[in-house]
Amino acid sequence: MKTMGFVISHKNREKRRALLPEDLPRVANRGQLFFERGYGLAVGFDDEDYRRQGVHVVSREEALACDCICDMKLGDADYLDRIAPGKLFFGWAHAVQDLDFATAAIEGGHTVLAWEEIYENGRYVFYRNREVAGEAAILQAFLYLGKMPYESRVAIYGRGHTSKGALRILNGLGAETDVYKWQQEELFRAHIGEYDMLVNCCMWDTSRTDHLLYRKDLKRMKKGAMIVDVSCDAQMGIETSHPTTIDHPVYEVDGVLHYAVDNTPAMFPITVSRSFSRILAPMVDLVLEDRLTKPLQRAVVIQNGEILDSRIAAYREGRSLAEAAE
């Protein structure tokens, strides 16, 4: 049976936690869990709260020595060059978009069970995190736009969980909002000059070499307008976009303010951690005992250093998905 180490992400302002003490009774193999000291402090739990549930509280290095490493933001891990080969990574990897992480996992002979790929009956299991991503992005972005939401006209591109969250906040704050499906790219582009804020909630297909918005398109936007790139895939959907941080969330290109924080739910860690922990707890024993269900099996994108997700191979080699399938 595997051991699982829970480590604290060092990403800017990242306070979300994967598993809370209140959900640990739902894990049978609690003696196989090793939490980094101070793991729950950011969301109101001390080490003793964890110990009382029968888990181990250890140093960071001891947690990293476990067979499986659970890290909320795997793609931003700062320990990949100092761990033993053959680990199982369990967390948000975004290995399709993050070639540096994918390459490190492949070279280290690791296995990646990517949370962003876990779906049950067609629905993403951690959908509330995506909703909060949209909600949090809108709340912070408006602090920099200079006008109140009820004075603004906003366009959202995408109709998934993230856009649902963004729309919830925009409607609640009185913004005039239009939502464009991903199939309506041309329509969206044609009307960008009518809006005070453009919100991108659509993860870009890494096999595409074009963009939703190009730098030249910024000239057609309203003076003082803003792009909120919740998806924040660097230079993909939005050519001028690159990830920012909660502490430094915006930058300007050709007079257009860009917001592209890539971990916006971290601003509401208690809300997200509670929702997340309830869903994750039943999965822990399955991972520890190598009893992966079909949804978990499908979420393994790299296994022992071998690429299982053709999108990763295609992106690394600069090929289209159709070419990768041949």
Short mmCIF file of all heavy atoms in Angstrom, two decimals, residues 3 27 37-38 50 53 68 90 93 100 105 109 113 128 134 169 171 193 197 199 221 227 236 263 268 271 276 286:
data_model
loop_
_atom_site.label_atom_id
_atom_site.label_comp_id
_atom_site.label_asym_id
_atom_site.label_seq_id
_atom_site.Cartn_x
_atom_site.Cartn_y
_atom_site.Cartn_z
N THR A 3 2.04 5.29 0.53
CA THR A 3 1.94 6.38 1.49
C THR A 3 1.67 7.65 0.69
O THR A 3 2.06 7.76 -0.48
CB THR A 3 3.23 6.55 2.30
OG1 THR A 3 4.34 6.72 1.39
CG2 THR A 3 3.47 5.34 3.17
N VAL A 27 -11.64 8.40 5.45
CA VAL A 27 -10.47 7.71 4.88
C VAL A 27 -10.13 6.53 5.79
O VAL A 27 -9.85 6.72 6.99
CB VAL A 27 -9.27 8.66 4.75
CG1 VAL A 27 -8.07 7.91 4.16
CG2 VAL A 27 -9.62 9.87 3.89
N ARG A 37 4.01 19.92 8.36
CA ARG A 37 3.70 20.74 9.53
C ARG A 37 3.10 22.08 9.11
O ARG A 37 3.59 22.73 8.19
CB ARG A 37 4.94 20.98 10.37
CG ARG A 37 5.50 19.73 11.02
CD ARG A 37 6.59 20.05 12.03
NE ARG A 37 7.21 18.81 12.52
CZ ARG A 37 8.37 18.34 12.10
NH1 ARG A 37 9.06 19.01 11.20
NH2 ARG A 37 8.85 17.21 12.58
N GLY A 38 2.03 22.47 9.79
CA GLY A 38 1.37 23.73 9.50
C GLY A 38 0.42 23.66 8.32
O GLY A 38 -0.07 24.70 7.86
N TYR A 50 -5.17 17.60 13.03
CA TYR A 50 -4.87 16.50 12.11
C TYR A 50 -4.44 15.25 12.89
O TYR A 50 -4.89 14.13 12.60
CB TYR A 50 -3.79 16.92 11.11
CG TYR A 50 -4.34 17.74 9.97
CD1 TYR A 50 -4.42 19.13 10.05
CD2 TYR A 50 -4.80 17.14 8.80
CE1 TYR A 50 -4.93 19.89 9.01
CE2 TYR A 50 -5.31 17.87 7.76
CZ TYR A 50 -5.39 19.25 7.86
OH TYR A 50 -5.91 20.01 6.83
N GLN A 53 -6.95 12.82 14.22
CA GLN A 53 -7.63 11.95 13.26
C GLN A 53 -6.78 10.77 12.84
O GLN A 53 -7.16 10.01 11.95
CB GLN A 53 -8.04 12.77 12.03
CG GLN A 53 -9.01 13.90 12.33
CD GLN A 53 -10.31 13.40 12.95
OE1 GLN A 53 -10.75 12.29 12.70
NE2 GLN A 53 -10.93 14.24 13.78
N CYS A 68 3.33 8.84 -2.87
CA CYS A 68 2.43 9.74 -3.60
C CYS A 68 2.52 11.12 -2.98
O CYS A 68 2.50 11.27 -1.75
CB CYS A 68 1.00 9.21 -3.53
SG CYS A 68 -0.23 10.30 -4.26
N PHE A 90 -0.37 13.76 -7.41
CA PHE A 90 -1.82 13.82 -7.27
C PHE A 90 -2.21 15.27 -7.01
O PHE A 90 -2.02 15.79 -5.92
CB PHE A 90 -2.23 12.92 -6.09
CG PHE A 90 -3.70 12.64 -5.96
CD1 PHE A 90 -4.49 12.35 -7.06
CD2 PHE A 90 -4.29 12.64 -4.70
CE1 PHE A 90 -5.84 12.07 -6.91
CE2 PHE A 90 -5.63 12.35 -4.54
CZ PHE A 90 -6.41 12.07 -5.65
N ALA A 93 -2.26 19.46 -12.29
CA ALA A 93 -0.99 19.41 -13.02
C ALA A 93 -0.99 20.30 -14.25
O ALA A 93 0.02 20.93 -14.58
CB ALA A 93 -0.70 17.96 -13.44
N ASP A 100 6.97 22.47 -18.99
CA ASP A 100 8.09 22.33 -18.06
C ASP A 100 7.77 21.25 -17.02
O ASP A 100 8.61 20.39 -16.73
CB ASP A 100 8.39 23.65 -17.36
CG ASP A 100 9.02 24.67 -18.29
OD1 ASP A 100 9.57 24.26 -19.33
OD2 ASP A 100 8.95 25.88 -17.98
N ALA A 105 8.20 15.54 -15.12
CA ALA A 105 7.52 14.30 -14.72
C ALA A 105 7.96 13.13 -15.58
O ALA A 105 8.18 12.02 -15.09
CB ALA A 105 6.01 14.49 -14.79
N GLY A 109 10.42 9.75 -14.44
CA GLY A 109 9.73 8.47 -14.40
C GLY A 109 8.51 8.48 -13.49
O GLY A 109 8.12 7.43 -12.95
N LEU A 113 -1.52 11.85 -11.82
CA LEU A 113 -2.97 11.73 -11.77
C LEU A 113 -3.51 13.15 -11.64
O LEU A 113 -3.48 13.74 -10.56
CB LEU A 113 -3.41 10.86 -10.60
CG LEU A 113 -4.78 10.17 -10.71
CD1 LEU A 113 -4.96 9.15 -9.59
CD2 LEU A 113 -5.92 11.16 -10.70
N ARG A 128 -16.88 23.28 -8.43
CA ARG A 128 -17.03 24.48 -7.61
C ARG A 128 -15.75 25.31 -7.61
O ARG A 128 -15.80 26.54 -7.54
CB ARG A 128 -17.40 24.09 -6.18
CG ARG A 128 -18.87 24.05 -5.91
CD ARG A 128 -19.54 25.42 -6.13
NE ARG A 128 -19.19 26.37 -5.08
CZ ARG A 128 -19.10 27.68 -5.28
NH1 ARG A 128 -19.29 28.19 -6.49
NH2 ARG A 128 -18.80 28.49 -4.30
N GLY A 134 -13.98 31.96 -11.47
CA GLY A 134 -14.65 33.05 -12.17
C GLY A 134 -15.15 34.11 -11.22
O GLY A 134 -15.03 35.32 -11.50
N ILE A 169 -21.45 36.67 -10.29
CA ILE A 169 -21.00 37.91 -9.64
C ILE A 169 -21.40 39.13 -10.46
O ILE A 169 -21.89 40.14 -9.91
CB ILE A 169 -19.48 37.88 -9.44
CG1 ILE A 169 -19.10 36.73 -8.50
CG2 ILE A 169 -18.99 39.21 -8.88
CD1 ILE A 169 -19.71 36.81 -7.12
N ASN A 171 -23.90 39.51 -12.57
CA ASN A 171 -25.34 39.75 -12.44
C ASN A 171 -25.68 40.34 -11.07
O ASN A 171 -26.49 41.27 -10.96
CB ASN A 171 -26.12 38.45 -12.66
CG ASN A 171 -26.21 38.06 -14.12
OD1 ASN A 171 -26.00 38.88 -15.01
ND2 ASN A 171 -26.52 36.80 -14.38
N GLY A 193 -15.23 45.94 -29.31
CA GLY A 193 -15.17 47.38 -29.09
C GLY A 193 -16.35 47.95 -28.31
O GLY A 193 -16.35 49.13 -27.96
N MET A 197 -15.15 45.41 -20.36
CA MET A 197 -14.36 44.28 -19.87
C MET A 197 -14.65 43.05 -20.72
O MET A 197 -15.80 42.73 -20.99
CB MET A 197 -14.71 43.99 -18.40
CG MET A 197 -13.97 42.82 -17.79
SD MET A 197 -14.47 42.47 -16.06
CE MET A 197 -13.65 43.82 -15.21
N VAL A 199 -13.97 38.96 -20.70
CA VAL A 199 -13.62 37.90 -19.76
C VAL A 199 -13.46 36.59 -20.52
O VAL A 199 -14.43 36.08 -21.09
CB VAL A 199 -14.69 37.75 -18.67
CG1 VAL A 199 -14.25 36.70 -17.65
CG2 VAL A 199 -14.96 39.09 -17.97
N MET A 221 -10.48 48.00 -28.99
CA MET A 221 -11.20 48.00 -27.72
C MET A 221 -11.45 49.42 -27.23
O MET A 221 -10.77 50.37 -27.64
CB MET A 221 -10.40 47.20 -26.68
CG MET A 221 -10.30 45.72 -27.02
SD MET A 221 -9.33 44.77 -25.80
CE MET A 221 -10.32 44.99 -24.33
N ILE A 227 -9.02 43.34 -20.15
CA ILE A 227 -9.16 41.92 -20.44
C ILE A 227 -8.94 41.13 -19.15
O ILE A 227 -7.93 41.30 -18.47
CB ILE A 227 -8.13 41.46 -21.49
CG1 ILE A 227 -8.44 42.10 -22.85
CG2 ILE A 227 -8.12 39.93 -21.61
CD1 ILE A 227 -7.39 41.81 -23.91
N MET A 236 -1.88 31.98 -25.53
CA MET A 236 -2.69 31.03 -26.29
C MET A 236 -3.98 31.70 -26.74
O MET A 236 -4.04 32.28 -27.80
CB MET A 236 -2.96 29.76 -25.46
CG MET A 236 -1.73 28.91 -25.27
SD MET A 236 -2.11 27.32 -24.50
CE MET A 236 -0.45 26.71 -24.20
N ASN A 263 -4.45 31.52 -10.16
CA ASN A 263 -4.96 30.73 -9.02
C ASN A 263 -5.96 31.57 -8.21
O ASN A 263 -5.88 31.66 -6.99
CB ASN A 263 -3.82 30.22 -8.13
CG ASN A 263 -3.04 31.33 -7.44
OD1 ASN A 263 -2.89 32.42 -7.99
ND2 ASN A 263 -2.52 31.06 -6.26
N PHE A 268 -10.13 32.61 -1.79
CA PHE A 268 -11.24 32.15 -0.95
C PHE A 268 -10.96 30.71 -0.51
O PHE A 268 -11.71 29.79 -0.82
CB PHE A 268 -12.56 32.26 -1.72
CG PHE A 268 -12.92 33.68 -2.07
CD1 PHE A 268 -12.50 34.24 -3.26
CD2 PHE A 268 -13.65 34.46 -1.19
CE1 PHE A 268 -12.80 35.55 -3.58
CE2 PHE A 268 -13.96 35.77 -1.49
CZ PHE A 268 -13.53 36.33 -2.70
N THR A 271 -13.70 28.46 1.54
CA THR A 271 -14.81 28.01 0.70
C THR A 271 -14.38 26.86 -0.20
O THR A 271 -15.06 25.82 -0.28
CB THR A 271 -15.31 29.17 -0.18
OG1 THR A 271 -15.84 30.20 0.67
CG2 THR A 271 -16.39 28.71 -1.14
N PHE A 276 -13.75 21.07 -1.70
CA PHE A 276 -12.78 20.16 -2.31
C PHE A 276 -12.56 18.93 -1.45
O PHE A 276 -12.55 17.80 -1.94
CB PHE A 276 -11.46 20.90 -2.52
CG PHE A 276 -10.55 20.21 -3.47
CD1 PHE A 276 -10.57 20.51 -4.81
CD2 PHE A 276 -9.68 19.24 -3.02
CE1 PHE A 276 -9.73 19.86 -5.69
CE2 PHE A 276 -8.84 18.59 -3.89
CZ PHE A 276 -8.87 18.89 -5.24
N LEU A 286 -8.64 4.83 -2.63
CA LEU A 286 -8.52 4.23 -3.97
C LEU A 286 -7.12 4.40 -4.53
O LEU A 286 -6.56 3.50 -5.15
CB LEU A 286 -9.54 4.87 -4.91
CG LEU A 286 -11.02 4.70 -4.53
CD1 LEU A 286 -11.90 5.49 -5.51
CD2 LEU A 286 -11.41 3.23 -4.52
#
